[in-house]
């Protein structure tokens, strides 16, 4: 407000945000930029650039809204933080993407962080993004805590958090209600922990898709623990296209509760959302994936699906204490395993038969 923002929800406050950011970023005394509560700030597309002279906090207590119109024809983010180290975004406020008017084209995203290191995002609410709600690209040492994401279950491509070429990302105590992946982990990403979070509706927590158009992918050391999934399409998933290359390894999925999930455990090297993909040799090699203490119900009798390529088989799959029953059906759950080597321990239901076992 000191930089002449209207905060009335109808006046574009992008210039006031830019002026406030320039003053904040140029301050060497660890300043805080405050978006005050009780007001609504309309923003057109804006990018806030670093590097800054000292650590910066953005206190988001009010509401930021996107224009309720088609405001660009190019792929874009409403609010991007770029090349800012030691950034904290905190507060009780909300970003509303007014996404329903975009859901036939979905190429505008809500909140993006690019090339930001030592980043902390806490307590904010994200709602109805036109596309992905939060993106992390080439970020390192990221903490996301107590963030909520909310969009209708049938809204297209509204991932909760999408990350690529990032490392050491820690997501905890978050709530995701989306029309696509709650968390999506793409190529170039390593050392990710998602814990104590809820997902549903949505498509689950997904690694991939990887290897599209013959590309080489690399994803390593991903942990999902103490999370719950309700009425999602998948629970924990690794998905890759035929014909890709590279590797995805070092997965731990543990202490997870599933409620009415279509495919609670899903590894799919034949990912093809539109159907009719040509058969190809080659695949992203998937190995060292552990599924431990996973309980609950599946809405589909096929509760476990591990579908691997004949040319690049999956190795090192481990299931321990898995108990998945069929919700609302008298049918027994089953597992479909294709070209996968692995072992089991404890009690595993449905029964799983790996190659070489």
């Amino acid at each position: 407000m000191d930089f002449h923002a209207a905060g009335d929800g109808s006046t574009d406050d992008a210039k006031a945000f830019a002026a406030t950011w320039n003053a904040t970023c140029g301050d060497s005394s660890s300043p805080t930029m405050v978006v005050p509560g009780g007001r609504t700030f309309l923003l057109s597309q804006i990018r806030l650039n670093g590097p800054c002279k000292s650590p910066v906090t953005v206190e988001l207590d009010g509401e930021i809204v996107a224009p309720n119109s088609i405001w660009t024809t190019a792929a874009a983010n409403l609010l991007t933080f770029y090349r800012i180290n030691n950034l904290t975004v905190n507060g009780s406020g909300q970003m509303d993407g007014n996404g329903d008017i975009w859901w036939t084209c979905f190429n505008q995203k809500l909140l993006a962080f690019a090339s930001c290191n030592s980043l902390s995002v806490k307590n904010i609410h994200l709602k109805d993004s036109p596309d992905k709600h939060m993106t992390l690209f080439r970020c390192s040492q990221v903490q996301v805590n107590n963030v909520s994401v909310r969009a209708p279950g049938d809204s297209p491509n509204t991932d909760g958090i999408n990350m690529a070429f990032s490392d050491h990302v820690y997501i905890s105590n978050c709530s995701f209600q989306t029309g696509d992946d709650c968390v999506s982990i793409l190529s170039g990403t390593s050392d990710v922990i998602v814990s104590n979070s809820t997902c549903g509706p949505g498509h689950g927590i997904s690694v991939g898709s990887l290897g599209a158009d013959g590309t080489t992918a690399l994803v390593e050391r991903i942990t999902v623990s103490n999370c719950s999934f309700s009425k999602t399409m998948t629970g924990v998933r690794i998905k890759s296209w035929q014909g890709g290359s590279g590797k995805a390894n070092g997965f731990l999925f543990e202490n997870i509760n599933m409620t009415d999930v279509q495919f609670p455990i899903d590894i799919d090297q034949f990912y093809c959302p539109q159907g009719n993909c040509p058969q190809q040799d080659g695949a992203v090699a998937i190995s060292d994936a552990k599924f431990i203490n996973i309980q609950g119900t599946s809405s589909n009798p096929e509760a476990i699906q591990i579908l691997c390529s004949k040319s690049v088989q999956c190795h090192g799959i481990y299931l321990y204490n898995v108990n998945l029953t069929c919700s609302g059906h008298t049918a027994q759950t089953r597992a479909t395993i294709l070209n996968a080597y692995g072992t089991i321990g404890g009690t595993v239901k449905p029964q799983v038969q790996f190659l070489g076992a």
Side-chain angles (χ1 to χ4, degrees):
M1 305 306 294
D2 293 344
F3 291 82
H4 311 297
D8 58 10
S10 59
T11 303
D12 188 349
D13 283 324
K15 288 184 177 179
F17 267 68
T20 310
W21 176 257
N22 290 336
T24 305
C25 190
D27 192 315
S28 59
S29 60
S30 300
T32 298
M33 171 178 168
V34 178
V35 183
R39 292 182 177 271
T40 301
F41 299 88
L42 176 68
L43 277 190
S44 55
Q45 181 184 356
I46 186 170
R47 187 170 85 165
L48 305 181
N49 294 323
C52 297
K53 289 188 175 180
S54 66
V56 169
T57 297
V58 175
E59 185 76 22
L60 174 59
D61 291 325
E63 182 173 34
I64 293 174
V65 296
N68 193 22
S69 62
I70 302 297
W71 48 269
T72 181
T73 58
N77 307 304
L78 183 70
L79 174 59
T80 302
F81 293 92
Y82 178 64
R83 290 188 62 202
I84 305 156
N85 296 334
N86 299 300
L87 170 65
T88 296
V89 179
N90 188 20
S92 58
Q94 174 173 276
M95 289 186 65
D96 185 343
N98 273 321
D100 55 345
I101 61 173
W102 294 94
W103 288 335
T104 57
C105 51
F106 56 83
N107 64 351
Q108 276 62 46
K109 301 169 181 65
L110 190 57
L111 175 62
F113 299 93
S115 300
C116 294
N117 301 323
S118 299
L119 168 67
S120 176
V121 184
K122 300 182 291 185
N123 304 321
I124 63 172
H125 308 281
L126 305 176
K127 174 188 174 188
D128 290 346
S129 177
D131 193 78
K132 298 168 180 63
H133 282 81
M134 183 191 303
T135 60
L136 304 171
F137 183 73
R138 298 196 185 281
C139 293
S140 180
Q141 297 293 343
V142 179
Q143 302 248 7
V144 181
N145 183 59
N146 198 35
V147 169
S148 72
V149 174
R150 182 161 49 95
D154 60 355
S155 56
N157 226 41
T158 52
D159 297 41
I161 299 176
N162 177 277
M163 66 189 80
F165 296 98
S166 296
D167 63 83
H168 296 91
V169 178
Y170 308 98
I171 299 169
S172 59
N173 303 299
C174 291
S175 170
F176 300 99
Q177 301 175 57
T178 74
D180 209 301
D181 294 331
C182 292
V183 178
S184 177
I185 300 165
L186 302 181
S187 184
T189 302
S190 63
D191 299 290
V192 175
I193 297 175
V194 183
S195 66
N196 298 292
S197 295
T198 62
C199 173
H203 290 184
I205 293 179
S206 296
V207 177
S209 59
L210 305 174
D213 300 319
T215 55
T216 299
L218 176 63
V219 173
E220 296 182 297
R221 297 180 298 279
I222 309 298
T223 296
V224 178
S225 67
N226 299 296
C227 292
S228 61
F229 298 79
S230 178
K231 300 184 183 300
T232 53
M233 186 177 77
T234 67
V236 287
R237 173 165 64 158
I238 305 170
K239 52 182 177 174
S240 66
W241 295 82
Q242 295 182 71
S245 62
K247 62 181 181 178
N249 60 49
F251 300 99
L252 174 59
F253 305 104
E254 66 174 348
N255 303 328
I256 291 172
N257 187 67
M258 307 284 184
T259 302
D260 208 20
V261 173
Q262 188 174 355
F263 294 103
I265 294 175
D266 186 18
I267 295 178
D268 185 6
Q269 283 187 319
F270 303 93
Y271 180 68
C272 179
Q274 305 304 322
N276 300 316
C277 293
Q279 185 171 344
Q280 300 181 61
D281 288 332
V284 177
I286 297 171
S287 63
D288 185 19
K290 299 180 176 68
F291 301 86
I292 298 173
N293 295 334
I294 297 180
Q295 318 291 329
T297 59
S298 168
S299 63
N300 177 18
E302 191 175 25
I304 299 175
Q305 178 176 267
I306 300 176
L307 306 177
C308 302
S309 165
K310 187 175 181 180
S311 60
V312 184
Q313 298 162 332
C314 296
H315 290 268
I317 312 301
Y318 178 61
L319 302 177
Y320 180 85
N321 281 359
V322 174
N323 185 11
L324 296 168
T325 59
C326 205
S327 59
H329 299 278
T330 57
Q332 297 294 312
T333 52
R334 63 179 183 266
T336 301
I337 311 297
L338 179 66
N339 299 315
Y341 289 86
T343 55
I344 63 173
T347 300
V348 173
K349 181 181 179 180
Q351 185 176 354
V352 170
Q353 185 69 39
F354 288 113
L355 291 174

